[in-house]
Amino acid sequence: MTNFPNIFIFDHPLIKHKVSILRDKNTGMKEFRELIEEITTIMTYESMRDVELEPVEVETPLEKTVQYRVPEESVAIVPILRAGLGMVNGVHRVFPTARVGHIGMYRNEKTLQPCEYYCKLPEGIEDKTVFVVDPMLATGGSAADAITAIKKRGVKKIKMMSIIAAPEGIAKLAKEHPDVPVYVSTLDRELNANGYILPGLGDAGDRLFGTK
Ligand code: PRP
Ligand code: URA
């Protein structure tokens, strides 16, 4: 669906169904939060098709067998504050022991430029597959800067996950981080003059936390 090899747009009917409820301005905070979590869980399954497994010996009631498991402690989650917090539980449902780092970014409302105000990443993150999560990829500035900060910590395997993206955000990540696979549930039409995604879902942070 795009010409960029590192961008994966899901075309999953169940995700479409859930995103349509998410967009509805009459959907309340509780349902909004639950939907973000559910969509994230589905996306996590889909984005882990290339995960490296390790062999383990298992003894069934009948015999010993070699099976395959995701190595312990191999995944970390880094939400971009605030709205990315809403996706953490969705990844935790699949990887309950994943450690969590936090990157705080806000967009200057006039220039739309991202500004980093907080960064705390878990020890040993450089050896893990890191899911950077933020429901909205608008200009792509916040995600691009967050990924740069995580790469500076020596992380090699990064996956970016967003629920709704604008073409501008996708093009920015494809250009600045072509090595990072970007998983997006829905590609929207455009950004408006204020940097909001159209048709979008409004301000994800405000809808998740009830701040407006
Ligand atoms: C929103 C959203 C992303 C960013 C996307 O956060 O959660 O982080 O905007 O925009 P961009 O792609 O143009 O950078 P916001 O700055 O509103 O902060 P919040 O999560 O605290 O509400
Ligand atoms: N951030 C949001 O929360 N929504 C948008 O549409 C764009 C950026």
Side-chain angles (χ1 to χ4, degrees), residues 107 136 138 195-197 200-205:
R107 293 198 308 177
M136 308 306 278
Y196 275 83
I197 301 175
L201 49 71
D203 189 301

Side-chain angles (χ1 to χ4, degrees), residues 25-43:
K25 66 178 184 182
N26 296 314
T27 298
M29 187 177 69
K30 175 175 179 285
E31 196 179 3
F32 190 88
R33 191 171 59 232
E34 288 167 355
L35 285 163
I36 292 267
E37 220 176 288
E38 287 167 16
I39 294 166
T40 304
T41 300
I42 300 169
M43 291 177 74

Side-chain angles (χ1 to χ4, degrees), residues 83 107 134 136-139 191 194-198 200-206:
R107 293 198 308 177
D134 190 329
M136 308 306 278
L137 189 63
T139 64
L191 290 180
N194 299 320
Y196 275 83
I197 301 175
L198 297 175
L201 49 71
D203 189 301
D206 285 341

Side-chain angles (χ1 to χ4, degrees), residues 5-207:
N6 63 320
I7 311 288
F8 302 94
I9 314 276
F10 293 116
D11 194 22
H12 196 292
L14 196 52
I15 291 182
K16 279 189 178 156
H17 169 81
K18 289 181 188 293
V19 169
S20 80
I21 306 170
L22 206 56
R23 290 187 195 278
D24 190 332
K25 66 178 184 182
N26 296 314
T27 298
M29 187 177 69
K30 175 175 179 285
E31 196 179 3
F32 190 88
R33 191 171 59 232
E34 288 167 355
L35 285 163
I36 292 267
E37 220 176 288
E38 287 167 16
I39 294 166
T40 304
T41 300
I42 300 169
M43 291 177 74
T44 306
Y45 281 118
E46 289 290 324
S47 64
M48 291 304 283
R49 287 186 185 276
D50 62 347
V51 70
E52 278 174 34
L53 301 174
E54 65 182 11
V56 284
E57 194 176 79
V58 175
E59 196 169 347
T60 77
L62 300 175
E63 63 176 19
K64 282 186 180 164
T65 168
V66 173
Q67 298 291 306
Y68 294 87
R69 289 191 185 159
V70 179
E72 284 280 326
E73 298 270 329
S74 60
V75 168
I77 313 166
V78 178
I80 301 177
L81 306 181
R82 292 174 298 166
L85 287 173
M87 297 175 73
V88 172
N89 285 348
V91 184
H92 263 155
R93 280 198 203 159
V94 184
F95 297 108
T97 59
R99 293 183 189 220
V100 182
H102 296 87
I103 291 196
M105 296 275 199
Y106 69 86
R107 293 198 308 177
N108 179 302
E109 284 183 5
K110 289 209 173 69
T111 64
L112 300 182
Q113 290 305 306
C115 176
E116 183 183 317
Y117 61 87
Y118 185 78
C119 183
K120 179 96 179 164
L121 302 175
E123 276 176 21
I125 194 169
E126 55 280 355
D127 300 321
K128 300 181 192 293
T129 297
V130 175
F131 279 96
V132 182
V133 293
D134 190 329
M136 308 306 278
L137 189 63
T139 64
S142 305
D145 284 10
I147 292 169
T148 300
I150 293 165
K151 281 183 176 172
K152 279 192 188 146
R153 278 284 299 266
V155 177
K156 299 279 180 296
K157 281 187 257 165
I158 300 175
K159 289 173 183 279
M160 175 77 211
M161 252 190 337
S162 284
I163 294 182
I164 295 191
E168 291 87 338
I170 280 189
K172 187 173 177 75
L173 287 190
K175 182 163 175 253
E176 294 189 14
H177 296 291
D179 54 317
V180 173
V182 179
Y183 301 92
V184 167
S185 85
T186 307
L187 175 59
D188 270 9
R189 194 177 70 243
E190 60 185 347
L191 290 180
N192 72 10
N194 299 320
Y196 275 83
I197 301 175
L198 297 175
L201 49 71
D203 189 301
D206 285 341
R207 294 194 65 183

